[in-house]
Amino acid sequence: MSSEPIVNGGVQIHQRRRLPDFLQSVNLKYVKLGYHYLITHLLTLCSVPLMAVVVIQASQMNPDDIHQLWLQLQYNLVSVIICSAVIVFGSTVYIMTRPRSVYLVDYSCYKPPSHLQARFEEFMEHSKLTGDFDESSLEFQRKILERSGLGEETCVPEAMHYIPPRPSMAAAREEAEQVIFGALDNLFANTNVKPKDIGILVVNCSLFNPTPSLSAMIVNKYKLRGNIRSFNLGGMGCSAGVIAVDLAKEMLQVHGNTYAVVVSTENITQNWYFGNKKSMLIPNCLFRVGGAAVLLSNKSLDRRRAKL
């Protein structure tokens, strides 16, 4: 930032010149994405113009020119060897450095049993009977339910169906096991993939992070192999699902010929709010029992059956 004196009636006034706001003029997020794409595909971007020039030159050659070129190469063994070595080396570097294709083979969403359903009227009656909410809070919850777009078949955990509710660590782990194991059982059944074939496991749950972790719980349940790369993400909010999928994708770029499973869920047994602060009541109305498991693969054989 610089300043220049301006004389006004014998008095010098310093006028400040502001530097341009680069954060406003350029979206740095897209610059970062463009740089990442450039570095990732640098070899391809450099080879495409070269191949285009070669194709253009070859298309302008007549049969006599091709015959003369063949005669020159036939009697110049050194040039042929060097050219072949360059082609082989370039092809090898390209194959080894190009990004692996990652396929979304299939996914499965957990469907809770019908006895866990919380219909709107039942939900409001239950909230009233707990005695923890005043009339204003009850009316606020009713408006949120009516405008949320949730259906009448959404479910809440077993512990929340009691009066009064019975939240506990054991009940929270039971909810996690029902959701995660239910989604994984369905996923393995639909894809015919054996748990021993899984090389990467990523689990994300923001509100419930026990010890042993949820990823360890899955490893022990399905007897996954000992050298599996497992990750347990917590405390990341609603963005954790996207982060988990991106982490699995990056791991599949490094470890070839394997499967990755991503499990995304949330746990509300111990995170129900019993108070009258309206901003804290919104999760009570929107959060429900649910979770999903996704199977990713970098195997070329899964290309045909993959959904994405």
Side-chain angles (χ1 to χ4, degrees):
M1 186 178 296
S2 62
S3 62
E4 293 183 359
I6 300 176
V7 179
N8 186 5
V11 180
Q12 288 188 347
I13 301 174
H14 291 274
Q15 182 180 11
R16 293 181 177 272
R17 291 183 177 178
R18 292 182 177 274
L19 293 174
D21 191 348
F22 294 103
L23 291 178
Q24 296 294 332
S25 59
V26 179
N27 195 327
L28 297 181
K29 179 181 71 172
Y30 294 105
V31 174
K32 182 180 178 180
L33 291 174
Y35 175 77
H36 178 72
Y37 182 85
L38 176 64
I39 296 302
T40 304
H41 303 279
L42 182 61
L43 185 60
T44 303
L45 295 176
C46 292
S47 62
V48 168
L50 179 61
M51 294 298 297
V53 172
V54 172
V55 171
I56 293 174
Q57 292 294 329
S59 63
Q60 296 176 351
M61 296 176 65
N62 54 44
D64 293 335
D65 294 334
I66 297 175
H67 181 66
Q68 291 297 327
L69 178 62
W70 169 253
L71 292 177
Q72 292 179 7
L73 294 177
Q74 187 176 7
Y75 297 103
N76 194 341
L77 183 60
V78 177
S79 299
V80 174
I81 293 176
I82 294 175
C83 183
S84 301
V86 170
I87 294 174
V88 172
F89 177 76
S91 302
T92 303
V93 172
Y94 172 75
I95 293 173
M96 294 181 64
T97 58
R98 65 171 182 158
R100 300 177 188 270
S101 297
V102 177
Y103 307 105
L104 191 156
V105 180
D106 205 347
Y107 65 92
S108 174
C109 296
Y110 172 69
K111 184 177 180 180
S114 58
H115 72 272
L116 295 181
Q117 292 180 1
R119 302 187 182 278
F120 290 173
E121 293 303 324
E122 295 176 358
F123 179 90
M124 294 306 305
E125 182 66 20
H126 186 95
S127 298
K128 184 177 180 179
L129 292 175
T130 58
D132 296 310
F133 309 107
D134 56 27
E135 291 298 327
S136 176
S137 297
L138 290 172
E139 184 61 25
F140 177 77
Q141 292 184 74
R142 181 183 297 277
K143 291 180 179 179
I144 294 295
L145 288 173
E146 292 174 350
R147 301 173 184 178
S148 64
L150 295 178
E152 293 278 1
E153 297 181 357
T154 58
C155 300
V156 296
E158 184 76 33
M160 297 296 104
H161 284 271
Y162 294 98
I163 300 177
R166 302 176 183 176
S168 64
M169 177 65 75
R173 180 173 284 276
E174 183 179 353
E175 178 193 350
E177 291 177 351
Q178 290 176 354
V179 174
I180 293 175
F181 296 161
L184 285 175
D185 288 343
N186 193 29
L187 180 68
F188 291 143
N190 292 341
T191 58
N192 294 321
V193 173
K194 298 179 180 179
K196 288 290 185 181
D197 296 332
I198 305 301
I200 300 165
L201 173 65
V202 183
V203 183
N204 73 271
C205 181
S206 297
L207 298 178
F208 182 60
N209 296 281
T211 302
S213 64
L214 297 178
S215 60
M217 181 181 72
I218 296 174
V219 171
N220 293 329
K221 165 69 175 180
Y222 294 97
K223 308 301 180 191
L224 302 183
R225 60 196 197 194
N227 63 344
I228 189 171
R229 285 90 178 173
S230 65
F231 303 87
N232 197 95
L233 308 182
M236 294 184 175
C238 297
S239 63
V242 179
I243 296 173
V245 173
D246 185 67
L247 173 60
K249 175 188 173 184
E250 294 300 325
M251 292 297 295
L252 287 173
Q253 296 293 333
V254 179
H255 305 282
N257 196 36
T258 188
Y259 289 106
V261 168
V262 179
V263 180
S264 181
T265 185
E266 202 50 85
N267 194 290
I268 59 179
T269 295
Q270 288 187 299
N271 298 281
W272 205 265
Y273 176 68
F274 300 96
N276 294 301
K277 191 174 181 180
K278 290 183 171 57
S279 61
M280 298 290 290
L281 287 170
I282 296 177
N284 287 13
C285 302
L286 299 182
F287 281 22
R288 293 293 184 265
V289 173
V294 179
L295 180 66
L296 303 176
S297 172
N298 56 14
K299 299 183 178 183
S300 57
L301 295 177
D302 291 317
R303 180 185 181 91
R304 291 185 178 181
R305 67 167 179 162
K307 294 183 179 295
L308 293 173

